[in-house]
Amino acid sequence: MSKQSFKTDARADTRKVILEAGTKSILKKGYHQCGLAEILEEAGVPKGSFYYYFPSKEDFGLALIENWLEKYAEAEQWLHDGSVSPLTRVRRFFEERYRMFQRARRQYGCMVGTLFAEMAAHNETFRRRVQEILTAWLDQIAECLVQAQRAAEIGADLDARAMAEFCLISWEGAVQRGKTVQSIAPLDLFFQVIFDSLLTK
Amino acid sequence: MSKQSFKTDARADTRKVILEAGTKSILKKGYHQCGLAEILEEAGVPKGSFYYYFPSKEDFGLALIENWLEKYAEAEQWLHDGSVSPLTRVRRFFEERYRMFQRARRQYGCMVGTLFAEMAAHNETFRRRVQEILTAWLDQIAECLVQAQRAAEIGADLDARAMAEFCLISWEGAVQRGKTVQSIAPLDLFFQVIFDSLLTK
């Protein structure tokens, strides 16, 4: 490895360390209540170097969303797993997110949802990016549900896209509620209603 | 009217004016991003008098919730309207909130939901109060659904309390989504799924 590429790696690492520290703080305390000093202390990075990586707090917020999306990659893979039925793919996507919520001890919830609740209504850049992400999930879930209809796993009378959207809407509601009551129960309720009542034959 | 009661009224009025200005700012910008100076300027109240009415920002936040609840009183009345069927009562409760969302031009969403998303995960006092409010709604809606089952308006196999909770969960999700996409469509979807698919015979 050349000296140059080593330097590039070190830079990428520091950026990543700051992002991970930021994610931890923001999911605990919210975007606005989370101070830069605290994040940098957690990351063990001197304050001066922050703006080298992130020109503004908004850039930082957007980078946090992208960093967080990598964590969803595993969940998204399930939506393309041809070895199981289309409806099972959708269920496994949410099951993976269920496990993420459990691992985070129910405190953290969904980064996209958190930034979204705090920022989307009053910051156009955030709003647009969050909407892009939600639309991408929506497209993939809707495609699975169309296939599930062809495979007669769910009723042909359902509007697949509307159902996909309702899944995402009620999932975010369930995660929020799970944070408030500090319980996994709202997510269990989500599975029960969506997969035992709504998405049936 | 005696001079004393006039003074009391004036005090109550100023408190109310501050609360209304705070509600407007917070629903637009979020709890943490909303500065005191801005609220007081909007209210036309000198800064010094704020702490006379609210000892801390947390007290202010809690007072905002109580003030907001008064706006829900109209929606809650529908849940007790004996002149219509139990299922219609539930529908009208959400229809009233739908109108509130529309009146606020889709930007504001639900105050309880906003404070809840920002605060509930990291402030125990807020979390507890928000949970009390949600539980009170839950009890009332569940009671309507039990009556709707007795009246054979909805299936007897449904768990009324779980369905009531799912209504509230997916409603909050729909409001959040409505704010992000700046549209009433997610709320229309809520009515479609809940009242045309889930809560049927």
Side-chain angles (χ1 to χ4, degrees):
Chain A
M1 189 184 275
S2 73
K3 204 174 166 186
Q4 183 55 42
S5 75
F6 179 77
K7 260 193 185 165
T8 311
D9 282 358
R11 258 181 227 156
D13 283 353
T14 306
R15 190 174 183 278
K16 188 83 182 170
V17 166
I18 299 174
L19 286 172
E20 288 298 321
T23 300
K24 220 170 129 185
S25 298
I26 288 176
L27 287 175
K28 258 193 213 158
K29 306 179 69 181
Y31 181 71
H32 290 302
Q33 213 173 24
C34 169
L36 197 52
E38 184 193 342
I39 294 173
L40 296 176
E41 198 190 312
E42 168 86 26
V45 170
K47 197 170 178 179
S49 64
F50 176 83
Y51 290 100
Y52 172 77
Y53 297 101
F54 309 102
S56 70
K57 198 176 174 185
E58 185 179 296
D59 288 303
F60 182 51
L62 289 170
L64 282 167
I65 293 183
E66 304 312 319
N67 186 55
W68 183 255
L69 274 184
E70 291 172 20
K71 298 183 202 293
Y72 283 119
E74 205 177 328
E76 273 193 68
Q77 279 175 8
W78 287 111
L79 293 173
H80 303 280
D81 179 6
S83 73
V84 295
S85 81
L87 186 59
T88 308
R89 280 173 228 159
V90 177
R91 183 189 265 276
R92 294 215 173 146
F93 169 75
F94 286 108
E95 280 172 351
E96 185 65 43
R97 296 183 65 180
Y98 182 96
R99 280 190 291 272
M100 287 168 74
F101 188 76
Q102 261 183 326
R103 275 199 297 272
R105 297 186 195 178
R106 304 179 295 272
Q107 282 172 23
Y108 295 171
C110 166
M111 185 65 161
V112 173
T114 300
L115 289 173
F116 167 52
E118 281 196 48
M119 300 294 298
H122 23 85
N123 180 314
E124 188 53 26
T125 315
F126 270 58
R127 203 187 65 74
R128 228 178 283 150
R129 184 66 189 115
V130 167
Q131 199 170 338
E132 276 169 18
I133 295 167
L134 288 171
T135 304
W137 288 342
L138 179 60
D139 289 343
Q140 293 172 73
I141 295 171
E143 177 55 31
C144 286
L145 293 183
V146 166
Q147 289 178 31
Q149 285 181 319
R150 283 189 202 133
E153 282 191 286
I154 60 171
D157 55 322
L158 296 171
D159 176 338
R161 198 168 178 85
M163 285 300 138
E165 176 134 33
F166 189 77
C167 286
L168 286 171
I169 283 173
S170 51
W171 175 261
E172 284 296 339
V175 168
Q176 273 305 336
R177 181 88 164 143
K179 279 169 73 175
T180 311
V181 298
Q182 291 176 359
S183 156
I184 202 87
L187 275 61
D188 290 324
L189 180 58
F190 166 87
F191 279 98
Q192 187 193 322
V193 175
I194 297 294
F195 293 102
D196 299 344
S197 286
L198 260 187
L199 298 179
T200 53
K201 280 177 204 177
Chain B
M1 189 182 277
S2 73
K3 203 175 168 185
Q4 183 54 42
S5 74
F6 179 77
K7 260 193 187 166
T8 310
D9 281 358
R11 259 181 226 155
D13 283 353
T14 306
R15 190 174 183 278
K16 188 83 182 169
V17 167
I18 299 174
L19 285 172
E20 288 298 321
T23 300
K24 220 170 130 185
S25 297
I26 288 176
L27 287 176
K28 257 194 212 157
K29 305 179 70 182
Y31 182 71
H32 291 303
Q33 215 175 23
C34 169
L36 197 52
E38 183 193 344
I39 293 174
L40 296 175
E41 198 190 311
E42 168 85 27
V45 169
K47 197 169 177 178
S49 63
F50 177 82
Y51 290 99
Y52 172 77
Y53 297 101
F54 311 100
S56 69
K57 198 177 174 186
E58 186 179 295
D59 288 304
F60 182 50
L62 290 170
L64 282 166
I65 293 183
E66 304 313 319
N67 186 55
W68 184 256
L69 275 184
E70 291 172 21
K71 297 183 202 294
Y72 283 119
E74 204 177 329
E76 274 194 66
Q77 279 176 8
W78 288 111
L79 293 172
H80 304 279
D81 179 6
S83 74
V84 296
S85 82
L87 186 59
T88 308
R89 280 173 228 157
V90 177
R91 182 189 266 275
R92 294 215 174 146
F93 169 75
F94 287 108
E95 280 171 351
E96 186 65 42
R97 295 182 66 180
Y98 182 96
R99 281 190 290 272
M100 288 168 74
F101 188 76
Q102 261 185 326
R103 274 199 297 274
R105 296 186 195 180
R106 302 179 296 273
Q107 282 172 25
Y108 296 170
C110 165
M111 186 65 162
V112 174
T114 301
L115 289 172
F116 167 50
E118 281 196 49
M119 300 295 296
H122 24 85
N123 181 313
E124 188 54 24
T125 315
F126 271 57
R127 202 187 65 75
R128 227 178 284 150
R129 184 67 189 113
V130 167
Q131 199 170 337
E132 275 169 18
I133 295 167
L134 287 171
T135 304
W137 288 342
L138 180 59
D139 290 343
Q140 294 173 71
I141 296 171
E143 177 54 31
C144 285
L145 293 183
V146 166
Q147 290 179 31
Q149 285 181 320
R150 281 187 204 135
E153 281 190 287
I154 59 171
D157 56 323
L158 295 172
D159 176 339
R161 199 167 178 86
M163 284 300 139
E165 176 134 33
F166 189 77
C167 286
L168 286 171
I169 283 174
S170 51
W171 175 260
E172 284 296 339
V175 168
Q176 272 305 337
R177 181 88 162 143
K179 278 169 73 175
T180 312
V181 299
Q182 291 175 358
S183 156
I184 202 89
L187 274 62
D188 289 324
L189 180 58
F190 167 88
F191 280 98
Q192 187 192 322
V193 174
I194 296 294
F195 293 102
D196 298 343
S197 287
L198 266 183
L199 298 179
T200 53
K201 279 178 204 175

